[in-house]
Structures are given as structure tokens and as C-alpha cells.
Amino acid sequence: MTDNKYVNEWIRESAELTCPNEIVWIDGSAEQTELLRRQAMSTGEIFKLNEELLPNCYLHRTAINDVARVEDRTYICTTKKEDTGNINNWMAPDECYAKLGKLFRGSMKGHTMYVIPYSMGVVGSEFAKIGIELTDSIYVVLNMLIMTRAGKEVIDALGIDDNGFVKGLHARANLELENRYICHFPEDNTIWSVNSGYGGNVLLGKKCFALRIASYLGRKEGWMAEHMLILGIETPDGDIKYIAAAFPSACGKTNLAMLIPPKVFAEKGYKAWCVGDDIAWLRVGKDGRLWAVNPEFGFFGVAPGTNESSNPNALATTRRDTIFTNVVHDFENNTVWWEGLDNNPPEHAMDWTGKKWNRTRYNKKDTSTYGAHPNSRFTVMATNCPCISSEFNNPEGVPISAIVFGGRRAKTAPLVYQSTDWLNGVFVGSIMASETTAAQAGAVGVVRRDPMAMLPFTGYDMGDYFTHWINMGKKIKNPPKIFNVNWFRTDDEGNFIWPGFGENLRVLLWILARCDDKVDAVSTAIGYVPIAEDINIRGLDGITVDTIRELLHVDRDLWLADAADIEKFYAKIGDRVPRELYDELTALKSRLN
Ligand code: OXD
Ligand code: MN
């Protein structure tokens, strides 16, 4: 398919190692894709769902031991250990190639090796980067055809003498947990993934390339790869402003990315547009603003909890052309179901493992009675989404007015606050944290630090990553303003005070008003907090200005305790945490005192 000697040489080497029966190039054509689906159906790798109710939709089940990303088996392999840092797992490149080489050796015997040329970003655009994934899994091929722009036009765009593509090698091998490795060689533009078939470990364009390898490249080349959604807010006059936002998992990122304005705002003409739900690549534009593209082409979203009220846009998106992984199969109707979809679990159904499922045993507190795996997923093209932005395919991306960080904090963080400047904003991102909920194993209320939501996704030392953020600020003439939100403040009975979901628009509108210098704020020890009356609560049941005041309260003692925890966390990251951030911490403490 190509005369590029670097590509052909690398495929030859990889085939020599893995010994596939044949090598098939993925061209992206509808004919080839349909052929692959039929092949995967014939082996039970995917099941076709009800064509009338869920046109062009399929169900896949992973191995039972292979249902999520494996952070403890994910490695960054740089020559010097200190370049990987304390937060990532490290292996020396030679050692890792040798160790995984043994696992890859002969692993594709009797199988086909598929060659998937894909582009992260609009094919041929200045912002885009090309990868090639070699895999023995049709499921991976079908998902990559949704999650990325893939096929012949990509290999044509690479040309015949470009060596600057990311080389991804994936083999399912025996799906052994003890030999599962997801390894990144940022100095070689290479990713090796073996013994997994689960999305986040094997769709190499996503976390592996677009975050870990890309963050490394971004530092080298002067841009940023971030774990951020991109959302456009349109005001009644037709003006659209864009927000990039980072949240740890279980904070409603996909819901925010597909936000539906509350009725009182929709009636006036406010609209929200999704540019991306997971990853943003950010560059300084010629106009001195920060511009963002979503390098992906699809959504790989968590199914449980997605429903007509939590995220009607996501639900509508997945009513066609979707691959569902590890959800409930309603075999009477040949459709799918998951916990939180509705109150009608199917009577005749298989659980995510393919065993007969008894809905009457379902107990919310006992995950062993769940039908769908809590991390079950849908894979679907972003262009299926009713609120997809008209700028989604714009190769230049969109200009970012505000960067929003967030987390799940019961008491500490206010509903929203604004950093005082870029450096202080980097500090706010670096101290991002979420408290564990009853939904997670272990103790409830434990604070987990997750700077910029990048803890498992930064392809180099976290201290260097903070320095890169600080340096980027010096290059942006008109930088976005940086905010922190917390939708999860609770009252003394543990109930959420803020309604969340679409109502979060009310907070985003304050953020955008701040970006336009249209509204004043109160200066506090942690940054600027709204004047309570400036959060529009019209049409919001049960919320008064006093509630907003409570949501905005900054508790000095809680913040002093937090500051002590931040210091410990910085120490764990190591000695490359920039001095400027320690200065920010010291200044915060002195303001609190
Ligand atoms: C994801 C994640 O799957 O962040 O997007 O884990
Ligand atoms: Mn993510």
C-alpha cells in the first residue's frame, strides 16, 4: 500500500517477530470494513444487534480478566529513569524490548496482522500526527476505524520518505494478566501492547499515543496534549466561546462535553456544542491565543449511568453505528442494556460475561449482581452526536477562552473559583484532586491527587510537565483564564447541593463573563470567587442566593489541611517540581494564615 521504506521495513521486522499467517492493510473502505465485521461475527468476536432498533450496532465481550486500563502494568521507557519520573512505571528500553519481544515472538501464528494507518487530527492538517497500529484483533480494527481517521488517505498523506509516524504494535497473545504490558518508548515514537484486548490498552491512538507519546512530543515541540474535553457555548447573539476542561474519572466529563442547556436558557437561544469529550491538543495560534483540536474521531464512553436525563445526547449518539463492549445483552429483543439506562432491565438477558442474567437479583450495592460491567463502553463516531460542533473537522481547531479544572470534593473546593493568573492557574491544575466515593473500592473520602487529570497519562516526569505548562504560559500572548469547578459539594447529610448536569451551564456562563471582563468577583485566599448574586439561578428549584453563598464558601481549616497534603504530593513527584509552584503553595498558606 505504500513505498515508504521506513513503514515497510518496520512491518517486515514486526512480522518476523510475531509470525502472522498474512498481513492485511486497512484501507478504510466500507467494503473492507463490512468484510471484517462478517469475519468477526463468524467467530463470535462480535454479535450483530437488532438492525431495526439499533442499526449497524454490535456487541463485544472482552475476556473476564481484561476489562479496564492496567496502570500498574503501563510503562514509560526512557533511557534515563529520571526522565520518566516517580509517578510513572519505568523500564529501560532495551530491557523492555527484550522482555516483551519474548511475549510477541510467534504470537500471531495462525492469525492475520492488520496494518491500520491512522491520523490523530484532520488528515493532512498541520495539527495532525500519523500513527500506524499493527494488531491481530479485528475488534481493534473496527474500533480504530471509529476512534480515528484511518485508511488509505492517511498512508498517502504520510508520503514515501517520512519516518515521523508513531509505531504501535499490539498482540492479544494469551490475554494473560501476569504478562500484560502497555509500554511506551517516547524516544522511539513506539508503543508495544501485549496480552490485552480492552480498549484503553489496545486502541493505541487514544491514551497511548494522543496523551502519553503526544505529551512527550508536545514538550519537545512546544505544544500540549491534555486530558480535556472541548465545549463550545453559544450565546443568543450567535457568538460561540470555547472551554477546555480536565476532570478525573467519575466527575461527569462526557456529560459536560454534551451538555444540554436548561430550558430557561435554551428558550433564550443558548446552545452548547461538543468538540471533544476526552483529549485536546493545544497550540499557540498566530493570533496569540491558545487553539485546541480534538485529535480523535469518536467517543469511547462509559455506558452505565448514561440515560435520557443524564446525557440524552450520548444516548442518541449510540442508537446507531455503535460497538458496545461488556454491556447486558437482551436476547429477546437483541438489544443492549446497562445499569442506569432505565428502570426496565430486560427479563431475558445475558450479563457482560455472556452468562444468563437474573435481573431480580440486582442489588445496587453489590457489583457481582450487575448485568453490565461498571466500565462497559460504547464506541461511536463523534459525528453521530446531535450536538457535535460544526468546528469538529476544522483543521485549525477552536480558540480557547477558558481552561477549567475540576474534581469531586465534598467540602473543600467551592462551586467555582478563578486563578489569579496563568502561573497560579498551573498551580490550581497541579493540585487537582478527587475524593473516593462508595462506588470505588477502599475507603470513602480519601483524597486522590490527579494533576490536570494527567496522572496516568503523562509520558514523562510530572515535575517537567508542570514546568512545560509554566513555559507555555510565557508563549501565549492572550492566554485563556484558568478556573476550578466542583459540582460535588455535599450538605451535612451527604446530599449533593448543586444539581449539576445541564445546570452547570450557569457556572460556565459566569466563567465566560469573567473571560470577557463583564463581571466582578471576590478575592479570597485561593483566588477569585463569584459574588453569589452573579450566578444565575432563575428557574432553578430549591436553590437560593444563600445556597450559592454556601457553595462558594472557602473553609480556611480545610484548605490548610489540603495545603499540607499538596506538599506531600509534590515531594512524591520529586525534585523536578518547579520552584514557582512551591512559591505558589507558600503564598497560599500565608494568605490562609
Ligand atoms: C477514559 C479514561 O477511558 O480516562 O477516557 O480512563
Ligand atoms: Mn479519559
Side-chain angles (χ1 to χ4, degrees), residues 69 206-207 211 227-228 247-249 253-254 277-279 296 300 377 453 457:
R69 286 185 294 100
K206 195 177 180 61
K207 304 298 189 184
L211 288 176
H227 192 196
M228 290 178 174
F247 296 89
S249 55
K253 193 167 157 203
T254 305
D277 76 324
D278 196 38
I279 298 174
E296 302 192 275
F300 181 63
R377 299 278 175 152
F457 303 121

Side-chain angles (χ1 to χ4, degrees), residues 19-21 28 32 61 74-75 103 133 208 255 283 318 342 355 392 398 449 456 470 490 506 516 521 550 556 562:
C19 306
N21 270 19
Q32 188 190 47
R61 296 191 185 106
T74 298
Y75 287 78
L103 302 173
E133 176 164 356
C208 299
N255 296 343
R283 289 175 200 250
T318 58
D342 55 36
K355 286 207 293 285
F392 172 70
V398 294
R449 300 265 157 216
I470 295 172
T490 55
R506 299 168 189 270
D516 279 347
E550 185 189 341
R556 187 177 152 271
D562 219 45

Side-chain angles (χ1 to χ4, degrees), residues 54-121:
L54 294 168
N56 195 28
C57 288
Y58 299 84
L59 169 66
H60 169 80
R61 296 191 185 106
T62 65
I64 291 171
N65 75 357
D66 190 23
V67 292
R69 286 185 294 100
V70 280
E71 286 172 19
D72 56 330
R73 311 206 62 89
T74 298
Y75 287 78
I76 304 293
C77 305
T78 49
T79 313
K80 290 195 209 133
K81 183 175 191 304
E82 55 269 33
D83 291 340
T84 287
N86 295 340
I87 299 294
N88 290 306
N89 301 311
W90 175 81
M91 230 191 289
D94 288 352
E95 182 195 338
C96 188
Y97 282 129
K99 187 178 182 123
L100 270 62
K102 289 196 191 116
L103 302 173
F104 274 110
R105 184 157 305 284
S107 63
M108 294 193 192
K109 260 184 209 149
H111 302 220
T112 301
M113 175 194 273
Y114 298 97
V115 181
I116 315 167
Y118 64 93
S119 175
M120 299 313 293

Side-chain angles (χ1 to χ4, degrees), residues 57 242 448 469 492 538 557:
C57 288
Y242 296 91
R448 277 204 198 139
W469 261 86
D492 292 336
R538 207 159 21 82
D557 292 338

Side-chain angles (χ1 to χ4, degrees), residues 486-504:
N486 175 23
W487 317 130
F488 302 97
R489 281 276 271 250
T490 55
D491 62 20
D492 292 336
E493 277 82 53
N495 304 306
F496 294 124
I497 305 172
W498 179 248
F501 298 101
E503 309 299 348
N504 293 336

Side-chain angles (χ1 to χ4, degrees), residues 229-346:
L229 65 90
I230 310 166
L231 171 68
I233 303 291
E234 180 172 341
T235 45
D237 58 6
D239 182 41
I240 307 181
K241 292 227 156 47
Y242 296 91
I243 290 170
F247 296 89
S249 55
C251 288
K253 193 167 157 203
T254 305
N255 296 343
L256 187 66
M258 298 178 194
L259 175 143
I260 295 192
K263 198 156 161 270
V264 282
F265 289 91
E267 279 167 0
K268 281 188 150 183
Y270 285 90
K271 295 186 179 113
W273 301 107
C274 174
V275 183
D277 76 324
D278 196 38
I279 298 174
W281 283 2
L282 305 156
R283 289 175 200 250
V284 187
K286 290 184 192 78
D287 60 358
R289 291 188 291 174
L290 191 64
W291 287 69
V293 296
N294 168 12
E296 302 192 275
F297 194 61
F299 305 131
F300 181 63
V302 176
T306 307
N307 61 51
E308 202 44 75
S309 65
S310 69
N311 195 337
N313 280 325
L315 200 60
T317 308
T318 58
R319 297 297 87 179
R320 57 185 308 124
D321 316 316
T322 302
I323 300 174
F324 296 97
T325 302
N326 292 344
V327 295
V328 173
H329 184 212
D330 170 345
F331 58 77
E332 192 172 13
N333 298 302
N334 194 20
T335 54
V336 291
W337 190 85
W338 49 78
E339 278 70 23
L341 173 63
D342 55 36
N343 292 321
N344 301 308

